Amino acid sequence: MKFSNKFKKVPYLLQALLNVCLFLLAIALSALLISETWYIVQFVYNSLFNKVDSYYEMLGELLIFFLYFEFIALIIKYFKSDFHFPLRYFIYIGITAVIRLIIIDHDQAISTLWWAMAILVMICAFFIANRRESVEAH
């Protein structure tokens, strides 16, 4: 009996460790978000005065910005929803990441088609997850 009582606190300790680590991750992601914002501002400023060869780099950086933003929003939602990660936020992040991949690396048409199919699958999963949540709410 005494042995099992000692381990009842383990989930709470692990939850506290997870919360601290997620908080530190949110701080690191916030710093990277600020850094990315500064890079985008510099890129726009430089593109006003100099001819830029390709805007693909800017678009890729902008999507990285949104990835940081979505991960921070996911962590915020985790704390607001009683330590639960909503599935739809992971789907948002996945769609954004694949769109960035398509924009950055679109040399082979067949791989772009497969990535587009992956986006379609994630959109279908998002639709199913939202239907499930709306059914459970009623």
Side-chain angles (χ1 to χ4, degrees):
M1 283 279 189
K2 278 186 167 182
F3 187 73
S4 65
N5 287 338
K6 290 181 181 179
F7 289 106
K8 286 185 178 181
K9 293 181 182 181
V10 170
Y12 298 108
L13 293 173
L14 291 175
Q15 184 69 50
L17 177 66
L18 176 68
N19 291 345
V20 168
C21 290
L22 278 174
F23 179 74
L24 294 174
L25 179 64
I27 290 172
L29 288 172
S30 297
L32 290 170
L33 181 70
I34 292 168
S35 172
E36 196 66 35
T37 303
W38 180 248
Y39 178 82
I40 291 170
V41 167
Q42 284 181 327
F43 188 90
V44 169
Y45 179 77
N46 290 335
S47 69
L48 292 176
F49 299 110
N50 302 327
K51 179 91 172 149
V52 177
D53 292 335
S54 173
Y55 286 97
Y56 289 122
E57 180 185 349
M58 169 61 180
L59 196 53
E61 296 298 324
L62 190 61
L63 287 170
I64 287 175
F65 172 85
F66 282 113
L67 284 171
Y68 287 137
F69 189 81
E70 288 174 356
F71 275 115
I72 293 168
L74 178 68
I75 292 170
I76 291 169
K77 190 67 175 173
Y78 170 80
F79 286 111
K80 285 186 174 181
S81 64
D82 297 326
F83 313 119
H84 172 70
F85 284 117
L87 177 63
R88 68 178 183 274
Y89 281 86
F90 285 111
I91 296 172
Y92 293 151
I93 292 169
I95 291 170
T96 304
V98 173
I99 289 171
R100 179 188 178 277
L101 182 69
I102 289 173
I103 289 171
I104 298 300
D105 186 26
H106 56 274
D107 296 336
Q108 295 179 346
I110 193 71
S111 65
T112 303
L113 176 67
W114 285 115
W115 288 122
M117 294 297 280
I119 292 172
L120 180 63
V121 168
M122 285 187 277
I123 289 171
C124 291
F126 177 75
F127 179 73
I128 291 168
N130 275 348
R131 296 237 342 144
R132 192 176 125 225
E133 287 178 4
S134 65
V135 169
E136 289 175 359
H138 289 106

